[in-house]
Amino acid sequence: MTHQMQLQPEPFSMIKSGVKTIELRLYDEKRRKIRIGDEILFTNTENGETLAVKVLDLYVFDSFEELYKTLPLLQCGYTEQDIDSASPDDMELYYPKEKQKEYGVVGITIALRSAEFLSYYRLKEELVQFCRANGLPTSGGKQELNERIACFLDTGVIMPANLKQTTKQKVSGITKDSIIESGFVCSELHRAFFKKEIGDGFSFNVAFQKWLKENAGKTYADAIKVYKELKVAAKGKPKEIEKQFEYNTYIRDFFQDNKGASLSDAIKCWKYKKSIQGHNKYERSDLKVLEC
């Protein structure tokens, strides 16, 4: 069953980011219909944006004074900055004590579904913040963090950090016939070798580093050949930007379509784009935000 609720912009944003996982309400007739496993569809009172969450648990109390003594307030919408001043009196702005006495109150433990969570662009810092708030490992890149969070939201299982062990081998005396070592790590020794064989213009670009890491057992002669092939293939093609650098991709594409535009306009369009569901690629329709 799906329940409709209105929510002000700040708590809406906190739930959307995954930081607020307990919604506090009066336990009136409407809230008494909620069951574990149901869905709540929150609507932002400012812009009409909606957000679907799953109900994980319900904690019923006689008053917010009792609730505040029991539930973790950092999951109820408070932050490290205002937790020291948190008081059950804060809830009287919405629910007078007479109403609390009449109906009781409830803390609704909620969780975003993974599809909902991943449909918004999030900075790595936001993913780390979510992991920290929910007791998940915080190491790894954005893709690993997203996978860990999706697993947690869908199953409740906490995936362990992917600890990659690299095997350090001696790389002194590198020749063309030397074998590329397992767990390859760029070093000044490697750089000096490639500059000697390829020229001073050599650099460890992303594509070449990826090839080296994935081709342990091949020779450095193979690596030199592949580097030259990658350089030829890259000529005349726009530089590909990795998925985790979506901001850079967006800004580049914005300026390609809007010659002479300002960086502030590009950033304004980017902020609009990442605030809505869907992909984060530049579209000309994004320019409508500049008309506001």
Side-chain angles (χ1 to χ4, degrees):
M1 184 175 180
T2 299
H3 308 269
Q4 306 277 346
M5 293 190 194
Q6 301 289 312
L7 206 57
Q8 293 184 5
E10 185 176 358
F12 185 94
S13 177
M14 294 182 77
I15 291 176
K16 179 177 169 181
S17 69
V19 175
K20 185 178 189 292
T21 58
I22 301 178
E23 174 64 9
L24 307 183
R25 295 277 171 155
L26 196 68
Y27 198 46
D28 54 14
E29 292 90 345
K30 181 178 180 180
R31 253 58 68 169
R32 292 184 184 189
K33 295 177 181 178
I34 299 174
R35 297 291 181 270
I36 294 174
D38 284 357
E39 181 179 85
I40 297 176
L41 187 66
F42 289 113
T43 300
N44 188 321
T45 56
E46 185 175 84
N47 58 19
E49 183 182 355
T50 58
L51 188 65
V53 300
K54 181 180 179 181
V55 177
L56 301 183
D57 215 335
L58 299 163
Y59 297 94
V60 180
F61 300 91
D62 292 333
S63 66
F64 283 113
E65 184 174 359
E66 184 182 347
L67 182 152
Y68 269 52
K69 294 176 181 177
T70 308
L71 297 185
L73 298 182
L74 285 175
Q75 295 178 33
C76 297
Y78 288 99
T79 67
E80 295 288 355
Q81 287 69 43
D82 59 19
I83 188 66
D84 290 338
S85 61
S87 167
D89 294 340
D90 298 338
M91 297 304 296
E92 287 192 45
L93 294 171
Y94 312 99
Y95 308 116
K97 286 187 176 179
E98 300 78 42
K99 290 291 184 182
Q100 295 179 40
K101 185 176 181 180
E102 180 180 357
Y103 294 106
V105 303
V106 62
I108 309 170
T109 302
I110 55 178
L112 291 167
R113 299 183 186 277
S114 64
E116 188 84 23
F117 185 89
L118 297 175
S119 67
Y120 292 94
Y121 176 86
R122 299 178 190 278
L123 297 172
K124 182 178 179 181
E125 301 89 270
E126 294 173 320
L127 300 178
V128 169
Q129 184 181 22
F130 176 91
C131 288
R132 189 171 287 121
N134 290 278
L136 307 181
T138 58
S139 61
K142 285 186 68 175
Q143 182 176 347
E144 184 179 345
L145 291 171
N146 275 322
E147 290 173 355
R148 189 178 300 143
I149 290 170
C151 177
F152 174 73
L153 292 176
D154 289 341
T155 67
V157 174
I158 297 179
M159 292 174 59
N162 182 20
L163 300 176
K164 295 182 179 179
Q165 294 186 351
T166 58
T167 304
K168 293 186 177 181
Q169 299 181 2
K170 292 183 178 179
V171 292
S172 58
I174 300 174
T175 69
K176 290 181 181 180
D177 295 326
S178 296
I179 302 299
I180 298 171
E181 60 273 15
S182 175
F184 180 89
V185 178
C186 304
S187 72
E188 288 305 314
L189 188 61
H190 290 97
R191 189 184 305 277
F193 167 76
F194 284 119
K195 280 192 173 186
K196 176 176 174 292
E197 298 295 333
I198 296 172
D200 290 337
F202 169 80
S203 64
F204 277 118
N205 58 60
V206 174
F208 187 52
Q209 288 188 55
K210 183 178 180 181
W211 186 90
L212 288 165
K213 293 176 186 296
E214 294 175 351
N215 287 275
K218 293 189 177 181
T219 68
Y220 280 90
D222 295 326
I224 292 169
K225 181 181 178 182
V226 168
Y227 179 85
K228 291 178 179 178
E229 291 173 350
L230 290 172
K231 292 292 284 186
V232 171
K235 286 183 178 179
K237 290 174 61 178
K239 186 177 180 181
E240 183 178 350
I241 301 177
E242 296 285 296
K243 181 174 174 54
Q244 64 264 36
F245 303 121
E246 290 171 306
Y247 167 81
N248 305 64
T249 305
Y250 187 94
I251 298 299
R252 182 193 66 186
D253 293 345
F254 174 90
F255 281 118
Q256 286 180 347
D257 192 50
N258 300 276
K259 307 295 183 185
S262 67
L263 179 58
S264 61
D265 284 344
I267 293 175
K268 187 174 183 180
C269 288
W270 163 249
K271 287 182 177 179
Y272 161 75
K273 192 68 172 187
K274 74 186 186 77
S275 72
I276 61 177
Q277 289 179 294
H279 65 77
N280 299 301
K281 296 179 181 178
Y282 166 77
E283 294 177 307
R284 184 160 289 184
S285 59
D286 299 342
L287 299 175
K288 64 184 178 184
V289 73
L290 299 178
E291 301 172 1
C292 300

